[in-house]
Amino acid sequence: MNPSQVLRTVLDRVIRFGCRHPRRLFLIDGLGALVSAAMLGVVLVRLESVFGVPPRMLLVLAIFPVFFAVYDFACFLLDPRSPGRLLRPIGLANLSYVVIGMILMVRHSDFIMLPGWIYLVSEMLIVAALGFAELQVSRQLTSGRR
């Protein structure tokens, strides 16, 4: 299998899982958001000399996942009757975060070192994949297809 086939297979599995367990998708996204916030707002800031990412950029990026986690955990705890409608906003928010992250990466590219690029690009790819999966699950749940 080539990398694009692997990615497609993983995305298909996430989408199937999300359609069967949409509430758990909020939990997974919320936990991931907390990990992102901790990595960006604490770990990478302390390791600026290794990653080269300016602390101000990291703190700006860390704010987003905190809000995402609050939204995700609220949706998880409230157990909504139509989770598809609530997955769409977080999917769009995740994709917006990726765009903002990429803009900041380009703006600060002179400072970011290879480990910083590896971390940031990896995070953006994971968040983008999750955002696309959430939008697909939202479409399937609101249209009645599973």
Side-chain angles (χ1 to χ4, degrees):
M1 255 199 228
N2 67 39
S4 66
Q5 290 172 319
V6 170
L7 179 61
R8 186 70 221 166
T9 300
V10 170
L11 277 175
D12 287 343
R13 288 182 182 169
V14 171
I15 292 165
R16 280 196 308 274
F17 174 84
C19 287
R20 286 193 310 271
H21 309 286
R23 194 166 164 245
R24 289 186 193 169
L25 198 52
F26 288 116
L27 181 62
I28 291 166
D29 192 44
L31 292 172
L34 288 180
V35 170
S36 288
M39 289 296 295
L40 294 165
V42 179
V43 177
L44 270 68
V45 169
R46 292 186 180 191
L47 296 173
E48 180 188 2
S49 62
V50 175
F51 290 90
V53 184
R56 186 175 176 124
M57 176 186 157
L58 292 170
L59 295 175
V60 167
L61 285 175
I63 291 168
F64 291 93
V66 170
F67 288 113
F68 297 170
V70 170
Y71 179 86
D72 284 319
F73 292 136
C75 290
F76 175 77
L77 293 172
L78 295 174
D79 193 16
R81 290 193 176 165
S82 56
R85 294 184 197 280
L86 297 176
L87 278 168
R88 182 172 170 75
I90 195 64
L92 292 172
N94 278 329
L95 295 177
S96 298
Y97 168 76
V98 169
V99 170
I100 291 167
M102 291 181 354
I103 290 169
L104 289 173
M105 288 164 56
V106 169
R107 285 191 67 193
H108 297 284
S109 62
D110 292 345
F111 303 104
I112 302 172
M113 296 179 206
L114 183 60
W117 282 109
I118 292 170
Y119 176 82
L120 291 170
V121 169
S122 298
E123 174 159 321
M124 296 303 145
L125 289 172
I126 291 166
V127 174
L130 184 59
F132 282 119
E134 288 166 335
L135 290 176
Q136 186 62 36
V137 170
S138 173
R139 269 189 228 109
Q140 289 185 23
L141 291 178
T142 55
S143 71
R145 293 182 300 155
R146 291 189 177 207

